[in-house]
């Protein structure tokens, strides 16, 4: 009598969503190790213990898996940086932005390795350079405000943002392999250089108390700090601006609806006038026909 093995009894068939997630994780590990061009569909299928048609069925090939991996990693890193830039003070924003990148590298080394390989065109989501530009565009606002307060030209902020983010990203690539010193110390030195410049370097830099020990939430769970009074005012102003724009749009839409209604009413009146003219013309035509018929109708003969 045949016996069923323990593995056969406990093996559970994956759902479509579970299989899809498994293929993404397998592909992510292979892309981090070998890159896009060095990874094949055969390897992905073999590591996932499925046949090649299963990979094609879910993603159409390795390009589909790669696009999902790149999109997830970019969103994860951007979410961390966005959280970091929600602080009120410019120095704290820079500290937390540097920490956000280093935290991402520490927690998602495979993802960072995939991004810094210069994302393959198959991803359809751009390259690591474009991701850095996205982050730099957020840092621009921070630097522009600081420049205005110090009397510098705020139009230079985009250039300085590229410098700052580029320097941080390259340092992150270096730290990816060496992992020394600790990320907070690396962040402190990064901010030391960017904030003070070479001529004003602090010999013993350290993060401010508000940034030490900070761990940002992952992309799936946000833990936001209580906003400051200034931030609340800015949020209120932003809401007011949004409401004004919405009100303006609503008024414009209302005016447009009124214009369309007037046009419709005008068209209806014109159609009604046209129908009335046609009816009058038909009535006149019938009257003329009746008169003509009266003329040609023979007169009755009077009896003698």
């Amino acid at each position: 009598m045949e016996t069923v093995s323990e593995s056969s009894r406990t093996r559970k068939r994956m759902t479509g969503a579970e299989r899809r997630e498994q293929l993404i994780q397998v592909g992510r590990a292979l892309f981090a190790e070998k890159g896009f061009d060095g990874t094949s569909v055969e390897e992905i299928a073999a590591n996932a213990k499925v046949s090649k048609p299963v990979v094609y069925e879910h993603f159409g090939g390795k390009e589909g898996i790669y696009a999902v991996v790149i999109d997830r990693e970019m969103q994860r890193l951007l979410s961390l940086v966005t959280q970091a830039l929600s602080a009120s003070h410019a120095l704290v924003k820079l500290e937390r932005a540097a920490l956000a990148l280093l935290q991402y590298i520490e927690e998602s080394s495979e993802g960072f390795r995939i991004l810094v390989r210069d994302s393959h065109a198959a991803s359809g989501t751009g390259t690591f350079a474009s991701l850095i530009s996205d982050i730099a565009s957020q840092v621009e606002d921070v630097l522009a405000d600081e420049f205005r307060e110090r009397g510098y030209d705020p139009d230079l902020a985009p250039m300085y943002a590229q410098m700052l983010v580029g320097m941080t990203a390259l340092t992150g690539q270096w730290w990816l392999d060496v992992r020394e010193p600790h990320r907070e110390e690396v962040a402190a030195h990064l901010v030391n250089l960017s904030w003070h410049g070479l001529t004003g370097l602090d010999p013993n830099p350290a993060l401010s108390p508000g940034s030490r020990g900070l761990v940002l939430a992952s992309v799936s769970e946000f833990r936001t700090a209580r906003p400051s009074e200034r931030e609340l005012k800015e949020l209120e102003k932003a809401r007011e601006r949004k409401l004004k724009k919405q009100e303006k749009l609503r008024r414009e839409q209302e005016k447009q609806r009124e214009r369309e209604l007037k046009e419709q009413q005008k068209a209806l009146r014109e159609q009604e006038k046209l129908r009335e003219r046609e009816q009058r013309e038909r009535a006149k035509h019938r009257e003329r026909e009746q008169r003509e018929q009266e003329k040609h109708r023979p007169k009755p003969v009077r009896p003698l």
Side-chain angles (χ1 to χ4, degrees):
M1 179 178 179
E2 292 184 359
T3 59
V4 181
S5 67
E6 186 66 25
S7 61
S8 298
R9 286 199 303 268
T10 58
R11 185 180 298 151
K12 179 185 176 184
R13 183 178 179 83
M14 287 188 179
T15 64
E18 290 171 339
R19 178 66 71 192
R20 182 180 175 84
E21 186 61 31
Q22 181 210 22
L23 292 172
I24 291 170
Q25 295 305 320
V26 168
R28 181 177 182 270
L30 289 171
F31 293 139
E33 179 186 356
K34 301 183 177 183
F36 176 82
D37 293 324
T39 301
S40 65
V41 174
E42 288 84 351
E43 286 179 293
I44 295 173
N47 280 269
K49 294 181 173 56
V50 297
S51 62
K52 284 171 57 178
V54 173
V55 179
Y56 288 116
E57 177 186 352
H58 284 277
F59 293 98
K62 66 176 182 177
E63 294 83 2
I65 300 177
Y66 192 80
V68 173
V69 170
I70 289 293
D71 184 65
R72 283 187 179 184
E73 297 305 323
M74 291 179 75
Q75 293 302 321
R76 185 176 292 122
L77 178 52
L78 280 173
S79 73
L80 291 173
V81 173
T82 301
Q83 289 178 80
L85 294 176
S86 65
S88 57
H89 192 276
L91 175 59
V92 178
K93 286 183 180 181
L94 293 179
E95 289 178 343
R96 294 187 177 187
L99 280 171
L101 176 62
L102 296 173
Q103 178 184 328
Y104 170 75
I105 293 171
E106 194 168 60
E107 295 177 352
S108 187
S109 299
E110 286 185 345
F112 190 70
R113 289 186 190 281
I114 295 171
L115 290 179
V116 297
R117 288 179 186 272
D118 197 18
S119 306
H120 195 275
S123 68
T125 52
T127 63
F128 184 61
S130 71
L131 176 62
I132 293 302
S133 292
D134 289 341
I135 297 174
S137 66
Q138 297 187 52
V139 177
E140 282 178 25
D141 297 333
V142 179
L143 295 182
D145 291 341
E146 195 66 23
F147 280 16
R148 288 189 192 95
E149 289 183 9
R150 295 171 182 264
Y152 301 152
D153 183 2
D155 290 339
L156 295 175
M159 179 177 67
Y160 276 87
Q162 291 287 340
M163 295 176 185
L164 179 60
V165 175
M167 175 184 71
T168 306
L170 285 174
T171 304
Q173 286 182 257
W174 164 79
W175 190 71
L176 174 65
D177 295 316
V178 297
R179 295 300 175 93
E180 289 182 355
H182 187 268
R183 74 182 183 204
E184 289 194 1
E185 187 176 347
V186 176
H189 282 280
L190 271 169
V191 176
N192 186 32
L193 175 59
S194 59
W195 189 260
H196 299 290
L198 288 172
T199 57
L201 281 179
D202 185 338
N204 297 300
L207 296 179
S208 59
S211 295
R212 287 198 292 270
L214 176 72
V215 177
L216 296 166
S218 66
V219 68
S220 59
E221 52 172 342
F222 290 95
R223 294 197 305 272
T224 55
R226 186 180 182 85
S228 65
E229 186 176 346
R230 179 183 173 185
E231 290 169 333
L232 287 172
K233 288 180 180 178
E234 290 175 352
L235 287 171
E236 185 61 30
K237 288 179 181 178
R239 281 194 291 268
E240 288 176 0
R241 287 194 296 269
K242 184 177 180 180
L243 288 172
K244 286 180 181 178
K245 286 183 180 179
Q246 290 175 342
E247 180 62 22
K248 182 181 178 181
L249 179 60
R250 187 192 65 77
R251 287 197 300 268
E252 289 176 353
Q253 290 174 339
E254 185 65 28
K255 288 180 180 178
Q256 179 64 24
R257 283 194 293 269
E258 288 177 0
R259 285 194 295 267
E260 290 174 353
L261 181 59
K262 287 179 181 178
E263 290 294 326
Q264 291 173 355
Q265 290 174 342
K266 182 180 178 181
L268 288 172
R269 286 195 298 269
E270 297 209 349
Q271 289 174 357
E272 185 63 28
K273 288 179 181 178
L274 180 60
R275 282 195 295 269
E276 289 175 357
R277 282 197 299 269
E278 290 175 347
Q279 288 173 356
R280 286 196 296 269
E281 290 295 327
R282 285 196 294 269
K284 289 178 181 179
H285 183 69
R286 283 196 299 270
E287 288 175 2
R288 285 195 297 268
E289 286 182 340
Q290 287 174 357
R291 285 196 296 268
E292 287 295 323
Q293 289 173 0
E294 287 291 331
K295 286 180 182 180
H296 295 90
R297 183 179 298 167
K299 294 180 179 180
V301 180
R302 291 179 181 180
L304 293 175

mmCIF file of all heavy atoms in Angstrom, residues 20 31 33 42 45 53 113 119 130 164 166 177 185 194 206 208 211 213 272 280 288 290 299:
data_model
loop_
_atom_site.group_PDB
_atom_site.id
_atom_site.type_symbol
_atom_site.label_atom_id
_atom_site.label_comp_id
_atom_site.label_asym_id
_atom_site.label_seq_id
_atom_site.Cartn_x
_atom_site.Cartn_y
_atom_site.Cartn_z
ATOM 1 N N ARG A 20 2.451 35.211 -7.633
ATOM 2 C CA ARG A 20 2.971 36.449 -8.215
ATOM 3 C C ARG A 20 4.004 37.090 -7.280
ATOM 4 O O ARG A 20 5.078 37.512 -7.713
ATOM 5 C CB ARG A 20 1.802 37.413 -8.465
ATOM 6 C CG ARG A 20 2.189 38.717 -9.120
ATOM 7 C CD ARG A 20 0.947 39.591 -9.305
ATOM 8 N NE ARG A 20 1.296 40.896 -9.831
ATOM 9 C CZ ARG A 20 1.478 41.167 -11.114
ATOM 10 N NH1 ARG A 20 1.336 40.215 -12.005
ATOM 11 N NH2 ARG A 20 1.791 42.391 -11.498
ATOM 12 N N PHE A 31 18.004 39.778 -9.658
ATOM 13 C CA PHE A 31 18.385 41.051 -10.274
ATOM 14 C C PHE A 31 19.457 41.759 -9.450
ATOM 15 O O PHE A 31 20.365 42.382 -10.002
ATOM 16 C CB PHE A 31 17.171 41.956 -10.428
ATOM 17 C CG PHE A 31 16.136 41.461 -11.404
ATOM 18 C CD1 PHE A 31 14.782 41.574 -11.124
ATOM 19 C CD2 PHE A 31 16.519 40.879 -12.603
ATOM 20 C CE1 PHE A 31 13.822 41.111 -12.020
ATOM 21 C CE2 PHE A 31 15.576 40.407 -13.500
ATOM 22 C CZ PHE A 31 14.216 40.525 -13.209
ATOM 23 N N GLU A 33 21.686 40.300 -7.586
ATOM 24 C CA GLU A 33 22.935 39.549 -7.689
ATOM 25 C C GLU A 33 23.553 39.633 -9.085
ATOM 26 O O GLU A 33 24.758 39.835 -9.230
ATOM 27 C CB GLU A 33 22.681 38.086 -7.336
ATOM 28 C CG GLU A 33 23.915 37.205 -7.437
ATOM 29 C CD GLU A 33 23.592 35.737 -7.216
ATOM 30 O OE1 GLU A 33 22.430 35.415 -6.918
ATOM 31 O OE2 GLU A 33 24.520 34.913 -7.357
ATOM 32 N N GLU A 42 14.550 31.351 -17.214
ATOM 33 C CA GLU A 42 14.799 29.989 -16.745
ATOM 34 C C GLU A 42 15.250 29.977 -15.289
ATOM 35 O O GLU A 42 14.789 29.158 -14.484
ATOM 36 C CB GLU A 42 15.868 29.318 -17.616
ATOM 37 C CG GLU A 42 15.407 28.958 -19.019
ATOM 38 C CD GLU A 42 15.516 30.132 -19.987
ATOM 39 O OE1 GLU A 42 15.795 31.263 -19.535
ATOM 40 O OE2 GLU A 42 15.312 29.909 -21.201
ATOM 41 N N ALA A 45 12.318 30.854 -12.977
ATOM 42 C CA ALA A 45 11.412 29.713 -12.859
ATOM 43 C C ALA A 45 12.022 28.613 -11.995
ATOM 44 O O ALA A 45 11.340 28.029 -11.133
ATOM 45 C CB ALA A 45 11.081 29.175 -14.248
ATOM 46 N N PRO A 53 6.395 28.674 -18.412
ATOM 47 C CA PRO A 53 5.071 29.231 -18.765
ATOM 48 C C PRO A 53 4.368 29.931 -17.609
ATOM 49 O O PRO A 53 3.595 30.862 -17.832
ATOM 50 C CB PRO A 53 4.293 27.999 -19.218
ATOM 51 C CG PRO A 53 5.341 27.072 -19.746
ATOM 52 C CD PRO A 53 6.519 27.270 -18.851
ATOM 53 N N ARG A 113 20.920 47.939 -4.633
ATOM 54 C CA ARG A 113 21.844 47.412 -5.661
ATOM 55 C C ARG A 113 21.171 47.406 -7.032
ATOM 56 O O ARG A 113 21.804 47.705 -8.045
ATOM 57 C CB ARG A 113 22.296 45.995 -5.291
ATOM 58 C CG ARG A 113 23.248 45.919 -4.119
ATOM 59 C CD ARG A 113 23.765 44.509 -3.894
ATOM 60 N NE ARG A 113 24.474 44.402 -2.640
ATOM 61 C CZ ARG A 113 25.726 44.798 -2.442
ATOM 62 N NH1 ARG A 113 26.411 45.312 -3.458
ATOM 63 N NH2 ARG A 113 26.287 44.668 -1.256
ATOM 64 N N SER A 119 18.776 51.629 -13.738
ATOM 65 C CA SER A 119 17.596 50.837 -14.097
ATOM 66 C C SER A 119 17.481 50.591 -15.595
ATOM 67 O O SER A 119 17.604 51.497 -16.395
ATOM 68 C CB SER A 119 16.326 51.546 -13.603
ATOM 69 O OG SER A 119 16.440 51.823 -12.233
ATOM 70 N N SER A 130 17.138 59.504 -12.520
ATOM 71 C CA SER A 130 15.841 60.183 -12.485
ATOM 72 C C SER A 130 15.251 60.151 -11.086
ATOM 73 O O SER A 130 14.573 61.084 -10.658
ATOM 74 C CB SER A 130 14.876 59.541 -13.485
ATOM 75 O OG SER A 130 14.479 58.257 -13.049
ATOM 76 N N LEU A 164 23.869 68.368 -3.488
ATOM 77 C CA LEU A 164 23.675 67.765 -2.172
ATOM 78 C C LEU A 164 23.191 66.327 -2.279
ATOM 79 O O LEU A 164 23.742 65.413 -1.647
ATOM 80 C CB LEU A 164 22.675 68.607 -1.377
ATOM 81 C CG LEU A 164 22.316 68.118 0.017
ATOM 82 C CD1 LEU A 164 23.559 68.061 0.891
ATOM 83 C CD2 LEU A 164 21.264 69.017 0.647
ATOM 84 N N GLY A 166 23.264 64.345 -4.930
ATOM 85 C CA GLY A 166 24.257 63.522 -5.631
ATOM 86 C C GLY A 166 25.372 63.078 -4.710
ATOM 87 O O GLY A 166 25.793 61.908 -4.730
ATOM 88 N N ASP A 177 28.708 48.804 0.680
ATOM 89 C CA ASP A 177 29.628 47.674 0.829
ATOM 90 C C ASP A 177 30.424 47.718 2.130
ATOM 91 O O ASP A 177 30.653 46.685 2.758
ATOM 92 C CB ASP A 177 30.588 47.634 -0.363
ATOM 93 C CG ASP A 177 29.867 47.347 -1.664
ATOM 94 O OD1 ASP A 177 29.007 46.453 -1.667
ATOM 95 O OD2 ASP A 177 30.149 48.016 -2.673
ATOM 96 N N GLU A 185 26.481 58.125 12.159
ATOM 97 C CA GLU A 185 27.758 58.828 12.071
ATOM 98 C C GLU A 185 28.017 59.279 10.635
ATOM 99 O O GLU A 185 28.485 60.392 10.388
ATOM 100 C CB GLU A 185 28.889 57.925 12.565
ATOM 101 C CG GLU A 185 30.226 58.647 12.672
ATOM 102 C CD GLU A 185 31.317 57.766 13.252
ATOM 103 O OE1 GLU A 185 30.993 56.685 13.795
ATOM 104 O OE2 GLU A 185 32.497 58.165 13.166
ATOM 105 N N SER A 194 27.871 69.369 4.096
ATOM 106 C CA SER A 194 26.905 70.143 3.302
ATOM 107 C C SER A 194 26.434 71.398 4.034
ATOM 108 O O SER A 194 26.155 72.420 3.400
ATOM 109 C CB SER A 194 25.703 69.270 2.951
ATOM 110 O OG SER A 194 25.068 68.800 4.123
ATOM 111 N N ALA A 206 27.930 65.720 15.130
ATOM 112 C CA ALA A 206 26.944 64.783 15.669
ATOM 113 C C ALA A 206 25.569 65.249 15.233
ATOM 114 O O ALA A 206 25.357 66.439 14.975
ATOM 115 C CB ALA A 206 27.025 64.718 17.188
ATOM 116 N N SER A 208 21.643 66.253 15.567
ATOM 117 C CA SER A 208 20.889 66.950 16.590
ATOM 118 C C SER A 208 20.042 65.935 17.358
ATOM 119 O O SER A 208 19.721 64.857 16.836
ATOM 120 C CB SER A 208 19.993 68.013 15.963
ATOM 121 O OG SER A 208 19.092 67.431 15.050
ATOM 122 N N SER A 211 17.147 64.041 15.729
ATOM 123 C CA SER A 211 17.376 63.083 14.640
ATOM 124 C C SER A 211 18.033 61.798 15.117
ATOM 125 O O SER A 211 17.963 60.779 14.434
ATOM 126 C CB SER A 211 18.253 63.718 13.546
ATOM 127 O OG SER A 211 17.592 64.797 12.936
ATOM 128 N N GLY A 213 18.665 58.332 16.693
ATOM 129 C CA GLY A 213 17.788 57.201 16.990
ATOM 130 C C GLY A 213 16.532 57.150 16.149
ATOM 131 O O GLY A 213 15.652 56.324 16.389
ATOM 132 N N GLU A 272 -38.069 76.525 -32.368
ATOM 133 C CA GLU A 272 -39.494 76.795 -32.220
ATOM 134 C C GLU A 272 -39.957 77.850 -33.232
ATOM 135 O O GLU A 272 -41.017 77.714 -33.855
ATOM 136 C CB GLU A 272 -39.778 77.269 -30.795
ATOM 137 C CG GLU A 272 -41.254 77.469 -30.485
ATOM 138 C CD GLU A 272 -42.028 76.181 -30.582
ATOM 139 O OE1 GLU A 272 -41.443 75.082 -30.358
ATOM 140 O OE2 GLU A 272 -43.242 76.232 -30.886
ATOM 141 N N ARG A 280 -46.752 78.491 -40.478
ATOM 142 C CA ARG A 280 -47.435 79.608 -41.151
ATOM 143 C C ARG A 280 -47.347 79.467 -42.658
ATOM 144 O O ARG A 280 -48.328 79.720 -43.382
ATOM 145 C CB ARG A 280 -46.816 80.938 -40.696
ATOM 146 C CG ARG A 280 -47.209 81.339 -39.267
ATOM 147 C CD ARG A 280 -46.901 82.814 -39.021
ATOM 148 N NE ARG A 280 -45.476 83.086 -39.107
ATOM 149 C CZ ARG A 280 -44.638 83.038 -38.054
ATOM 150 N NH1 ARG A 280 -45.109 82.703 -36.856
ATOM 151 N NH2 ARG A 280 -43.365 83.321 -38.206
ATOM 152 N N ARG A 288 -53.872 79.347 -50.236
ATOM 153 C CA ARG A 288 -53.738 79.636 -51.673
ATOM 154 C C ARG A 288 -54.330 78.498 -52.496
ATOM 155 O O ARG A 288 -55.012 78.727 -53.501
ATOM 156 C CB ARG A 288 -52.266 79.838 -52.029
ATOM 157 C CG ARG A 288 -51.710 81.195 -51.577
ATOM 158 C CD ARG A 288 -50.391 81.480 -52.282
ATOM 159 N NE ARG A 288 -49.375 80.497 -51.918
ATOM 160 C CZ ARG A 288 -48.533 80.651 -50.910
ATOM 161 N NH1 ARG A 288 -48.618 81.743 -50.145
ATOM 162 N NH2 ARG A 288 -47.639 79.730 -50.633
ATOM 163 N N GLN A 290 -56.677 76.484 -51.624
ATOM 164 C CA GLN A 290 -58.135 76.518 -51.493
ATOM 165 C C GLN A 290 -58.741 77.605 -52.386
ATOM 166 O O GLN A 290 -59.783 77.407 -53.029
ATOM 167 C CB GLN A 290 -58.530 76.759 -50.027
ATOM 168 C CG GLN A 290 -58.290 75.537 -49.131
ATOM 169 C CD GLN A 290 -58.559 75.847 -47.670
ATOM 170 O OE1 GLN A 290 -58.877 76.989 -47.327
ATOM 171 N NE2 GLN A 290 -58.434 74.822 -46.836
ATOM 172 N N LYS A 299 -69.457 76.983 -61.424
ATOM 173 C CA LYS A 299 -70.549 77.601 -60.689
ATOM 174 C C LYS A 299 -71.845 76.804 -60.949
ATOM 175 O O LYS A 299 -72.085 76.320 -62.021
ATOM 176 C CB LYS A 299 -70.748 79.017 -61.157
ATOM 177 C CG LYS A 299 -69.553 79.917 -60.815
ATOM 178 C CD LYS A 299 -69.830 81.339 -61.323
ATOM 179 C CE LYS A 299 -68.628 82.223 -60.949
ATOM 180 N NZ LYS A 299 -68.846 83.605 -61.415
#
